[in-house]
Amino acid sequence: MELLRVANLSKIYGQDSTKVVALDNVSFTVARGEFVAIVGASGSGKSTLLHLIGGVDRPTEGTVFLDGQNIYSFNDDQLAIFRRRQVGLIYQFYNLIPILNVTENITLPLDLDNRQADPEKLARLLARLGLTQRQDHLPNELSGGQQQRVSIGRALITEPALLLADEPTGNLDSAASAEILALLRQANRDYQQTIVMITHDLEIAAQADRVIEIEDGHLVGDVQ
Amino acid sequence: MTILHKIARRDFKLNRKRSIGTIVGITLSVALIMAVATMLTSLRQTLIQREIDMSGYYHIKLSQVTPQQLKKIRQNRDFKQIKTTSDLGVAAFDHADAAVEQSPLLTLQSLNATKPTASGYHLSSGTWPQTDQEIVISESAMLASGLKIGDQLQLKIGKPTVKKRKLPDSDALIEQATVVKGKNQNFRITGVLNADNYGYQGLTSAAKAKSYTVYLALKDPQHFRRDLPELLGLSNYHQVREGKKARYRYSLNDGLLHWEVLQFSDKTMLMLVTVATIVIAVIMLTSIFCIRNSFAISITEKTKTYGMLASVGATKKQIKRIVLLQSGQLGLIGIPLGLGLGVLASYILGLVVNHIGSQFLFGRANSFQLKFSWIGLLIAVVLGWATIYFSASSSARRASKVSPIAQIRNEQDVKLTSKNLRVPKWIQRVFKSGGVLAYKNLRRSRKKYRTTVISLAVSVFTFIAMSAFVTAAFNFSYQRFHSLDFNLSFSPNYAGMALKSAKTQAQIQAITKLPDTKHVQVMTALADNGNLKLAGVENHLAPGLTARDHRELQLLALDRTAFRKYGRANGLTEQQLASGLILFDNDTQTVNGKQINVHNYRYQAGDLISGSYQDNSSSPHKKYQAKFRLSGVTRKLPDMVSFYWTMPSILIADQQVAQQQLPLVLQSIVMDASKPEDTIREVRKITLQLGSWNLDGQIREEKTMRLLISIFLYGFIIVITLIGITSIFNTITANMALRQREFAVLKSVGMTKKEFDHMVNLETLFYSLKSLVIGVVSGIGVALLIYWGFNRGQAEQVHYQLPWLAIGLAIVFVFLLVFWIMRYSLRKFNRQNIIETIRKENV
């Protein structure tokens, strides 16, 4: 069953001499529970694609449907609420709030929604992420792998329809990378979490159900 | 606590230095408003107290009130305090100095209250009378009679009568009045009344009388325009002002009403309101700009955080709320601190005022009274919050507006094309690669650059504008007393010291020969304030003027020495001066919005001026003819004349010449006395007809006032400047902190200390130059505005002076300050580890 539909998506930065076409008329769909990797060289437009799917940027043309809803028909506030409830975002550089501790960073999307985290669920999530002992620490007291696990926790806490990961292992050593990937696969397998992950590492991409390849803003390959 | 509160609070704690910087800014501006309010309230309270001490605590004084009327007045609920003295009538004062042509009558009142000071009476020595056998009499009566405390005094008390016609008591001063049918009564003198020049007065106690003088203090002086007509049986205040016949004879304690009701003339009010508005606007604007910058810069520092919050679904409203919550926290700390600091500063200033000499300013026994102003507190709190809100809201809007992706990439401040990064050749040559980097950085971080420049410019602007304000305030108050060549002035209390009279001549002679005096000048005028009616003036008028309006001219005469001195100072020769008449002729006209000086008359030196004068004070009215040859025309009046007269045209004559043709009376005697108090006493021994004006006391008062105003105003400038400095410090250090990573990278690729220095030097140059240009130009503009405010509705115009000193100070100060702060930030950065700094940015 289709969860995500990317329809004729284009994104152009700058004008005239500085004009850069980051994405050019890209379309594809993702089914519920699918684990998709998007691969491409640096500057191919994959991060732009991810940001557009996640509703953190607006396209020049085309649109994105999630659960049949056109997310770019939303205004900025509706879009923020959409991100809060429907999308979990994981960045290469974690993007944690430096002044909030592990638990607070994880429950942030719920807090912004004025919702309470279920304590049992939170404890299970912290255990799954291996952060139980670290829940009161601030981001700068954690290793890179731990910080990335916090950002995964933050992405999963709302049980979003779609988990987006932008080079989640790009800043980590191989052991930490393996850990993070295992966590993502587990979420996909155990909770049927739909995941779209960006990577330039083909080995990591090979662990996904499906690999979409982007080159110069065009979709050039889609392999199950 | 919601997550928004949590983020706001933690952020506040983590960015302690920046938060403290902002709090200092808020504290200072609130303190400034609070201090200004407290000082103004205290000054007003002190002046009210001074008026009460000097003239008594009453707003309305009613004379000749009957017991029935008094009973009715006592039922009126508008009054807080009702004090009375009984009118006993007047007494022939047999001890009066026969040489003085003053009424030999003494007005007698009886005290009914234990505190006679409430009615404005003061003792200069002795004690108050306790019974109707005791009396205190005014200083002048004591002096004239040679009586002492403890002496017995017999008075014949009755009604004043002139040629068998009875007069009301208050007209007792009319010459030739006597008491015909009176009752003799004996008193023992217990003290001396410190009363003014107006006649002889006596106060006894507990004597019965048929009418009263009533001193009324209003419950609510603010409503005096409503209560006064009610009391007087008039329908509105307008009728009071028109002088409609009222139920009572009354007078107002204007001094007290001035300060309690702030009832000033419209012109004074207009000036006060204009100047106050400009000053408050300057405080508010400076504070808002500076605090706003602190917020703006901290928002820039936290752009990434807000971006991340937005990317995980924080709405615009939520991000805005975080910024506003933070500003609220700063306000919760800064505002109470500011209120406290403001009151403390006022308290200290109050101590200083009392130490320096409140006795000169606020009367003998008065000290500066610190009064806490609740309205001031309210205004300070409201303005403080308003300042914070306006400062933070634009930042909050900015934080919420940028798209999350731009915030994550931290790109909203950087909109670059290679064209606007081109570096002028001279910069490359003079400042080398460090300078090139600095220039590029300024081009890149336009917003941050602008923030810093605005901070600086606003401080420069405020400094210059406020300095101009201080100068204007001083010029305004002291214009009048500058460089007078006398410190004592005596003028007759009553008309009629004819120069012809041998007694007047003898008295003038005696006064001019007093010891410890110099530059004694005598000024005389036509009797009865009369004018000389010029003949044939039609042929000597400036175009457009009519003879009807300009036929009569005031004629004043100076003693020969003073006249010659004045003439010579205006470029006239001895030969010209021999004819003995100078025309002062200097009017102003507005032509095309500009004021220019013009002559009303076309007389020239050597012209014959003839005219007539009718002395209405003589009976029958005597007419005189006079003829003078004009010595010359001037545009400046002698000091002693301009001190009393401000007419556009006046005839100044040599007394000896004028006296031969016209009847003159004494107008005033001025002198430079080394012991003014002693000289006044000596003059009083010679005659009691002359009232004195001790300018020395006035000048001393002015000097003390000047010192206090400078303390206050320079304090004000210092605080405003401090607010500016906190903001400049905040902006520059934050800017530098934001570039830490860049600096670390530069250092890691081998940029030397010298190149860093070049970079800092160029940035200093750019910041300083740009802000100085903006600040100085706008400062001069507002300075002009302030002068305009002072001159609104004022006859004496304050002349604009370019605030050179302030501009010079601002230039030096800005360069030093920016240079120092940049170096400070750089030193701080130099202490950090390069790699740590580069890595830190990734958290």
Side-chain angles (χ1 to χ4, degrees):
Chain A
M1 206 175 97
E2 174 188 302
L3 173 74
L4 169 75
R5 172 134 59 106
V6 174
N8 311 106
L9 215 52
S10 295
K11 178 74 185 179
I12 298 167
Y13 290 109
Q15 281 175 325
D16 305 326
S17 61
T18 58
K19 181 172 156 183
V20 175
V21 182
L23 269 188
D24 190 7
N25 200 21
V26 171
S27 300
F28 61 91
T29 60
V30 174
R32 204 177 288 276
E34 220 176 350
F35 187 170
V36 181
I38 298 176
V39 294
S42 183
S44 58
K46 51 190 194 306
S47 284
T48 304
L49 176 60
L50 193 86
H51 287 139
L52 288 175
I53 296 171
V56 285
D57 202 356
R58 283 183 184 269
T60 313
E61 260 174 68
T63 190
V64 171
F65 294 91
L66 192 79
D67 251 348
Q69 262 189 311
N70 178 354
I71 67 168
Y72 289 111
S73 64
F74 297 153
N75 66 25
D76 285 354
D77 276 347
Q78 288 168 326
L79 205 58
I81 291 165
F82 157 78
R83 285 197 297 274
R84 189 193 286 172
R85 294 179 183 163
Q86 304 288 336
V87 180
L89 260 167
I90 301 167
Y91 298 95
Q92 180 179 358
F93 292 115
Y94 333 127
N95 282 351
L96 300 177
I97 307 291
I99 52 175
L100 297 180
N101 66 26
V102 167
T103 313
E104 289 162 344
N105 259 299
I106 290 176
T107 57
L108 181 62
L110 290 179
D111 289 331
L112 286 173
D113 222 10
N114 287 323
R115 282 189 285 162
Q116 286 280 316
D118 176 1
E120 270 180 44
K121 214 171 96 186
L122 178 64
R124 270 205 308 277
L125 182 61
L126 282 167
R128 223 167 88 203
L129 297 167
L131 291 169
T132 312
Q133 303 301 318
R134 301 259 168 193
Q135 53 181 310
D136 293 326
H137 288 222
L138 288 173
N140 63 359
E141 297 167 327
L142 304 175
S143 71
Q146 286 168 332
Q147 288 190 46
Q148 193 59 299
R149 277 185 264 155
V150 176
S151 82
I152 292 174
R154 182 177 68 187
L156 291 174
I157 190 76
T158 55
E159 298 174 344
L162 182 62
L163 189 70
L164 300 172
D166 186 357
E167 301 264 15
T169 60
N171 205 30
L172 301 174
D173 59 41
S174 54
S177 297
E179 254 178 52
I180 295 301
L181 265 178
L183 272 172
L184 291 178
R185 268 211 320 272
Q186 189 192 13
N188 177 248
R189 194 180 57 230
D190 297 353
Y191 303 97
Q192 280 74 51
Q193 178 66 58
T194 315
I195 299 176
V196 175
M197 175 181 74
I198 282 177
T199 180
H200 63 273
D201 186 334
L202 291 176
E203 235 175 88
I204 289 169
Q207 303 198 30
D209 303 334
R210 178 180 161 199
V211 178
I212 292 173
E213 195 180 344
I214 302 256
E215 203 179 290
D216 292 337
H218 294 96
L219 203 150
V220 293
D222 191 342
V223 189
Q224 286 286 334
Chain B
M1 196 191 304
T2 70
I3 188 74
L4 303 182
H5 283 95
K6 215 183 262 176
I7 292 174
R9 216 187 54 178
R10 294 243 180 106
D11 194 59
F12 171 80
K13 275 192 189 159
L14 275 172
N15 288 304
R16 204 171 295 147
K17 262 190 199 153
R18 185 88 47 244
S19 308
I20 290 174
T22 316
I23 288 175
V24 169
I26 295 170
T27 304
L28 288 175
S29 40
V30 172
L32 197 59
I33 297 170
M34 189 65 203
V36 169
T38 311
M39 289 309 289
L40 289 181
T41 320
S42 304
L43 185 67
R44 180 170 164 232
Q45 183 59 33
T46 307
L47 291 170
I48 288 173
Q49 196 53 49
R50 178 177 84 155
E51 290 301 332
I52 291 174
D53 284 354
M54 273 172 30
S55 54
Y57 180 53
Y58 69 90
H59 299 107
I60 306 161
K61 177 173 150 185
L62 305 178
S63 317
Q64 292 159 39
V65 176
T66 63
Q68 290 84 359
Q69 286 175 322
L70 182 61
K71 212 170 153 191
K72 217 170 156 191
I73 292 170
R74 286 197 192 279
Q75 285 163 356
N76 191 328
R77 291 189 186 175
D78 292 341
F79 305 115
K80 189 163 139 194
Q81 182 183 294
I82 299 171
K83 298 271 176 190
T84 59
T85 55
S86 308
D87 305 329
L88 297 181
V90 297
F93 189 53
D94 293 337
H95 296 277
D97 176 6
V100 178
E101 295 165 22
Q102 186 179 339
S103 162
L105 295 185
L106 182 141
T107 320
L108 196 60
Q109 296 262 318
S110 172
L111 295 170
N112 301 323
T114 45
K115 272 192 189 164
T117 43
S119 318
Y121 290 113
H122 299 275
L123 281 185
S124 57
S125 59
T127 54
W128 292 108
Q130 300 298 323
T131 65
D132 59 359
Q133 310 289 310
E134 293 179 339
I135 194 170
V136 289
I137 59 174
S138 55
E139 217 169 3
S140 53
M142 285 295 251
L143 264 170
S145 61
L147 287 164
K148 300 185 302 292
I149 293 175
D151 285 355
Q152 287 292 326
L153 173 68
Q154 195 189 50
L155 292 174
K156 187 176 169 194
I157 306 164
K159 288 275 173 195
T161 313
V162 176
K163 292 172 188 162
K164 293 185 182 159
R165 189 163 56 88
K166 273 190 181 177
L167 293 170
D169 286 0
S170 55
D171 292 340
L173 293 172
I174 285 189
E175 292 175 49
Q176 298 116 19
T178 50
V179 175
V180 177
K181 278 188 241 164
K183 211 169 73 188
N184 277 330
Q185 200 177 330
N186 283 314
F187 296 96
R188 194 175 68 86
I189 298 174
T190 61
V192 181
L193 260 186
N194 185 10
D196 39 26
N197 296 314
Y198 298 102
Y200 303 141
Q201 286 188 42
L203 271 179
T204 178
S205 186
K208 288 222 169 71
K210 286 191 188 118
S211 78
Y212 299 93
T213 302
V214 182
Y215 298 87
L216 300 167
L218 289 163
K219 240 181 221 161
D220 193 354
Q222 303 293 335
H223 289 150
F224 118 96
R225 281 159 195 255
R226 182 198 65 193
D227 296 344
L228 180 66
E230 251 175 49
L231 172 75
L232 298 178
L234 298 174
S235 56
N236 53 43
Y237 188 67
H238 189 66
Q239 290 191 336
V240 178
R241 289 186 61 162
E242 278 182 335
K244 278 245 165 108
K245 194 164 161 46
R247 195 179 287 152
Y248 304 102
R249 296 177 69 120
Y250 73 97
S251 63
L252 298 174
N253 190 351
D254 287 316
L256 185 57
L257 282 170
H258 252 10
W259 296 110
E260 275 202 340
V261 192
L262 294 179
Q263 201 203 5
F264 297 105
S265 73
D266 290 349
K267 282 177 182 174
T268 311
M269 216 52 208
L270 180 72
M271 194 267 289
L272 285 178
V273 168
T274 313
V275 172
T277 312
I278 295 173
V279 171
I280 287 177
V282 169
I283 301 182
M284 283 284 286
L285 277 181
T286 314
S287 310
I288 289 178
F289 260 118
C290 293
I291 296 170
R292 202 185 89 109
N293 273 351
S294 296
F295 281 111
I297 207 79
S298 75
I299 296 302
T300 316
E301 283 178 311
K302 284 175 281 193
T303 300
K304 215 169 161 188
T305 305
Y306 296 130
M308 278 173 316
L309 284 169
S311 73
V312 296
T315 58
K316 281 182 179 180
K317 218 168 141 191
Q318 283 174 318
I319 292 179
K320 221 161 145 179
R321 220 171 121 74
I322 293 175
V323 179
L324 291 178
L325 278 171
Q326 273 167 350
S327 66
Q329 289 168 339
L330 296 174
L332 277 181
I333 301 175
I335 289 178
L337 275 178
L339 295 176
L341 190 68
V343 174
L344 184 73
S346 309
Y347 177 72
I348 292 172
L349 204 55
L351 289 182
V352 172
V353 171
N354 282 333
H355 184 75
I356 294 179
S358 54
Q359 69 272 25
F360 297 137
L361 299 172
F362 310 121
R364 285 171 297 276
N366 275 319
S367 58
F368 186 75
Q369 304 190 334
L370 193 69
K371 192 181 182 206
F372 186 76
S373 158
W374 285 105
I375 295 177
L377 177 101
L378 194 73
I379 292 174
V381 170
V382 169
L383 289 187
W385 278 117
T387 305
I388 294 171
Y389 180 77
F390 288 124
S391 308
S393 59
S394 67
S395 294
R397 249 195 327 275
R398 193 156 67 86
S400 70
K401 236 178 199 169
V402 193
S403 79
I405 186 72
Q407 286 189 340
I408 290 167
R409 290 184 175 172
N410 206 358
E411 69 183 7
Q412 74 272 27
D413 279 344
V414 192
K415 285 203 178 80
L416 289 178
T417 62
S418 50
K419 195 174 136 204
N420 55 29
L421 278 185
R422 225 167 277 152
V423 181
K425 286 242 166 60
W426 67 271
I427 286 178
Q428 296 187 17
R429 258 204 305 278
V430 179
F431 294 96
K432 309 280 169 3
S433 58
V436 171
L437 277 169
Y439 183 82
K440 288 196 174 189
N441 181 60
L442 296 183
R443 306 293 297 178
R444 180 191 67 179
S445 324
R446 278 241 167 110
K447 209 171 223 166
K448 291 174 202 158
Y449 174 51
R450 205 164 52 213
T451 314
T452 311
V453 168
I454 289 175
S455 284
L456 279 164
V458 166
S459 305
V460 170
F461 150 79
T462 317
F463 183 72
I464 292 174
M466 284 292 107
S467 303
F469 172 72
V470 173
T471 318
F474 282 156
N475 285 349
F476 180 73
S477 359
Y478 304 109
Q479 197 148 321
R480 216 178 141 190
F481 293 102
H482 80 110
S483 73
L484 288 179
D485 57 0
F486 52 90
N487 64 358
L488 269 186
S489 162
F490 296 93
S491 301
N493 290 325
Y494 313 103
M497 283 183 85
L499 204 60
K500 270 198 304 203
S501 128
K503 197 169 78 187
T504 308
Q505 284 289 351
Q507 285 168 340
I508 292 173
Q509 277 297 317
I511 291 171
T512 47
K513 291 205 175 95
L514 283 175
D516 303 320
T517 60
K518 49 184 180 179
H519 308 311
V520 184
Q521 302 169 62
V522 179
M523 178 161 77
T524 46
L526 291 174
D528 200 27
N529 274 327
N531 293 334
L532 194 68
K533 201 169 176 182
L534 301 174
V537 73
E538 296 81 4
N539 309 321
H540 293 93
L541 282 176
L545 299 183
T546 59
R548 200 185 46 172
D549 297 333
H550 294 85
R551 180 163 290 134
E552 297 201 349
L553 269 183
Q554 173 92 32
L555 184 134
L556 298 167
L558 306 181
D559 64 85
R560 180 150 282 178
T561 325
F563 179 78
R564 291 269 161 92
K565 194 178 155 205
Y566 166 60
R568 279 197 304 273
N570 283 280
L572 303 180
T573 63
E574 290 294 335
Q575 204 185 351
Q576 285 174 314
L577 289 171
S579 59
L581 187 76
I582 297 170
L583 170 66
F584 159 78
D585 189 10
N586 188 26
D587 209 348
T588 50
Q589 249 178 35
T590 311
V591 177
N592 300 330
K594 258 190 174 174
Q595 284 213 329
I596 54 165
N597 290 337
V598 293
H599 282 313
N600 286 332
Y601 297 90
R602 294 197 300 194
Y603 285 116
Q604 285 174 349
D607 283 356
L608 201 64
I609 290 189
S610 57
S612 61
Y613 163 68
Q614 181 172 301
D615 182 3
N616 295 329
S617 66
S618 64
S619 53
H621 300 336
K622 246 176 155 177
K623 207 166 176 181
Y624 298 84
Q625 295 293 332
K627 211 176 254 181
F628 300 92
R629 197 160 288 285
L630 196 60
S631 306
V633 182
T634 65
R635 280 195 187 275
K636 199 177 171 297
L637 276 178
D639 276 346
M640 74 177 303
V641 177
S642 62
F643 193 67
Y644 290 97
W645 308 91
T646 51
M647 285 147 154
S649 313
I650 298 178
L651 287 169
I652 310 283
D654 177 340
Q655 196 176 293
Q656 285 185 26
V657 176
Q659 205 180 353
Q660 290 162 10
Q661 309 181 56
L662 295 162
L664 296 175
V665 293
L666 183 65
Q667 178 61 232
S668 63
I669 302 175
V670 298
M671 62 185 70
D672 190 3
S674 53
K675 293 173 189 160
E677 308 283 341
D678 291 354
T679 306
I680 292 173
R681 210 165 303 127
E682 291 303 314
V683 169
R684 290 183 83 153
K685 277 186 196 160
I686 295 167
T687 173
L688 283 161
Q689 256 187 303
L690 290 176
S692 63
W693 192 349
N694 185 351
L695 286 159
D696 217 35
Q698 190 125 4
I699 289 165
R700 196 164 48 180
E701 187 177 312
E702 301 275 342
K703 274 187 185 155
T704 316
M705 189 60 112
R706 192 187 175 103
L707 183 65
L708 289 178
I709 294 176
S710 9
I711 293 174
F712 185 72
L713 290 180
Y714 283 110
F716 183 87
I717 292 183
I718 289 170
V719 176
I720 281 269
T721 312
L722 275 179
I723 297 176
I725 292 176
T726 30
S727 146
I728 294 166
F729 186 81
N730 260 347
T731 11
I732 297 182
T733 50
N735 254 341
M736 295 290 272
L738 282 169
R739 286 159 62 195
Q740 271 183 34
R741 186 162 177 260
E742 207 173 292
F743 288 167
V745 172
L746 289 170
K747 220 172 164 185
S748 73
V749 297
M751 189 155 142
T752 62
K753 194 178 165 295
K754 210 172 159 190
E755 281 160 339
F756 268 110
D757 286 347
H758 281 311
M759 188 173 80
V760 166
N761 290 346
L762 187 70
E763 286 186 27
T764 304
L765 190 72
F766 269 103
Y767 282 139
S768 309
L769 277 183
K770 195 158 181 183
S771 54
L772 279 170
V773 168
I774 301 171
V776 168
V777 169
S778 50
I780 291 173
V782 169
L784 274 169
L785 199 69
I786 288 172
Y787 274 90
W788 169 78
F790 268 107
N791 285 337
R792 271 184 94 183
Q794 299 298 321
E796 285 187 42
Q797 300 280 304
V798 179
H799 296 293
Y800 181 71
Q801 292 174 340
L802 201 63
W804 281 118
L805 184 69
I807 293 173
L809 278 176
I811 291 172
V812 174
F813 194 65
V814 162
F815 274 106
L816 285 180
L817 186 73
V818 175
F819 184 74
W820 174 74
I821 299 175
M822 300 281 276
R823 286 293 156 116
Y824 165 84
S825 311
L826 203 61
R827 256 205 317 280
K828 230 172 93 184
F829 159 74
N830 277 333
R831 281 201 292 268
Q832 292 171 347
N833 179 297
I834 301 176
I835 298 304
E836 283 288 305
T837 310
I838 295 174
R839 273 203 190 139
K840 208 162 67 181
E841 290 288 301
N842 288 339
V843 176

